[in-house]
Each structure stands twice: as structure tokens, then as C-alpha cells.
Amino acid sequence: MRATYTYSPPRWILGFTAYSAIAVLAFFCILNIQPWLGAAKFLAGDTPNIPLLSSLYGLKILFLPIGESIRWLAANILMLGGIFIWAMVQGIQIAPMWVNRPESLRKLQGRAAQYLKENGGDKSKDAQAAIARLAAAMDKALTQELDTLEGMRVWAYCLELVVCVFHFPIYKDGSAALWSDLLSWNLYPDLLQPREIAMVIIMMGGFEILFRIALSIWGLYKAGGASHE
């Protein structure tokens, strides 16, 4: 019989790899936010002057410089808006895989087992039937939620495509000419810029790919790896 050899790396290696993957993901997030900051500035246009806001800049409560915080928020409102929209869109895109990750499912399984233990266990057939119906209802509800998230995910990617195409000039004559040519079915392939198209693809798919990698490595690390330390 042929022997099978398996090797599990030491846990410190898994830990180093997991934290490195998170660091790479964080760096990519900084790059990935840029198109959304541009979109927020484009949508906001000229930032309006909010009445009485400047009068709050010197506000202090219990010696805390609340006014300085208000001044900072007012000066960076567009940046914060872009980050918020980016986080919301990316959250929708990764929500299904986050719900389906093994750790989340194990938590649900543990809660179900605890509920079963606290509500009769094997003592009553009626209790067992009621718990089985509850489990089926929960499974149906979770399935419906996942289907809803998958539909929202498609729209999130469509929105990200529009934002990235506006940010990266994939057409030499500009975004306005691109949309005009697309609507008139007169797209000129020689005006397309491969580098910018590649950037759109990387920006759209890079976050999810890196998130999957980081989540998988982190899951292996949390599972314990091998205790060769």
C-alpha cells in the first residue's frame, strides 16, 4: 500500500502569512477607494456652505475640542462619503461568502445544538418536531437572504464598473466620448487603452480575490494549524 505523507506548517508560519495577507488587503483597499473618492466629488459638485456650521468650530464641552472635530468633518465630508459608499458596495459584494464561511456556519450549528439542549433534546417527540420545523424555517430564511444578497451583489458590481470606467480613461477621447459611441453603436477599438482597462479589471476583481485569500488563510490560522512551535 502506498504511503501518504501530509505536512502542516507551524502555526507561527500560518500566523505570519495570515497577517501578511491582511496587510496586502489593507494596502489594496487604499488603492481601491480612489475611484469612489472621485465619484463622491463628482456627485457633490460645489460643496454648499452650511449655515451656522462655522459658528460651531470653537465649541468645547468639558474642555473637549468638539468644534475641532466638527471642523475636520466639514473639511473631509466628501472623503468620508466616498469611503462610506465604497465600504457599503464592497460589503454587499463579499456578504455571501462571509455568511457561508465555515466559522459562521459552525457558530450557527453550535447555537442550534444549544437550543436543542435547552428545549428538551430527546425528551419529547413534539419538541423534536417543533425544533425541526424551526430549523427548516431558519434554513429557508437564510436561503432567501443569500439569494437577495446575490442579487444585490450583481448591482453592486454594475455600480463599481461605472465608477471605475469614469475614473480610469479607458477611451482616449474620454468617458463622455465612450458613452456616446456606445449608445450610437460606433465604438472604435483603436481608441481603447489596454492599461486602463486592466486597471478597471484589477480594481473590480482584486478586492474580492484578496479577501477570499485572506479569509481562507485566516481560517486555517484560527483552526490551529500544527502545533510544532
Side-chain angles (χ1 to χ4, degrees):
M1 182 176 179
R2 187 175 179 179
T4 302
Y5 299 96
T6 58
Y7 172 73
S8 296
R11 194 165 188 270
W12 71 267
I13 293 181
L14 288 174
F16 176 78
T17 307
Y19 282 104
S20 298
I22 292 175
V24 172
L25 179 62
F27 175 74
F28 185 83
C29 287
I30 297 175
L31 300 178
N32 197 225
I33 288 173
Q34 303 307 313
W36 298 94
L37 298 181
K41 292 178 181 178
F42 174 79
L43 292 175
D46 295 331
T47 306
N49 184 26
I50 304 176
L52 303 179
L53 184 63
S54 59
S55 64
L56 300 177
Y57 291 165
L59 180 65
K60 289 185 179 181
I61 299 179
L62 298 178
F63 304 103
L64 297 176
I66 304 299
E68 290 300 321
S69 299
I70 296 175
R71 182 194 297 272
W72 184 87
L73 289 173
N76 296 277
I77 188 66
L78 295 181
M79 179 189 71
L80 295 174
I83 293 175
F84 175 78
I85 298 173
W86 169 84
M88 183 175 63
V89 171
Q90 299 300 329
I92 292 173
Q93 292 177 2
I94 65 175
M97 73 178 77
W98 185 264
V99 173
N100 278 322
R101 60 199 264 265
E103 185 176 346
S104 299
L105 295 177
R106 280 195 294 268
K107 287 181 180 179
L108 289 175
Q109 185 180 17
R111 291 174 184 173
Q114 183 67 22
Y115 183 86
L116 181 64
K117 181 180 178 180
E118 294 175 354
N119 289 273
D122 297 327
K123 297 179 181 178
S124 169
K125 291 184 178 180
D126 292 337
Q128 286 285 348
I131 293 172
R133 290 195 298 270
L134 177 61
M138 289 176 62
D139 182 70
K140 181 179 179 181
L142 181 59
T143 300
Q144 291 176 343
E145 289 183 359
L146 285 173
D147 290 342
T148 301
L149 285 174
E150 288 291 349
M152 294 172 62
R153 189 166 176 260
V154 172
W155 286 107
Y157 272 110
C158 290
L159 176 60
E160 187 171 22
L161 175 62
V162 173
V163 170
C164 287
V165 167
F166 268 108
H167 185 78
F168 297 100
I170 67 172
Y171 212 54
K172 288 183 179 179
D173 290 345
S175 297
L178 171 64
W179 298 115
S180 176
D181 289 350
L182 282 175
L183 292 175
S184 61
W185 297 92
N186 288 320
L187 186 66
Y188 300 97
D190 57 312
L191 295 180
L192 295 173
Q193 304 193 86
R195 179 187 177 279
E196 305 303 326
I197 294 175
M199 288 301 299
V200 171
I201 296 174
I202 292 172
M203 288 295 107
M204 289 190 60
F207 179 82
E208 181 174 342
I209 292 173
L210 290 175
F211 183 83
R212 286 180 182 272
I213 294 173
L215 196 62
S216 299
I217 296 175
W218 188 258
L220 291 175
Y221 172 61
K222 294 292 286 184
S227 55
H228 298 324
E229 303 165 40

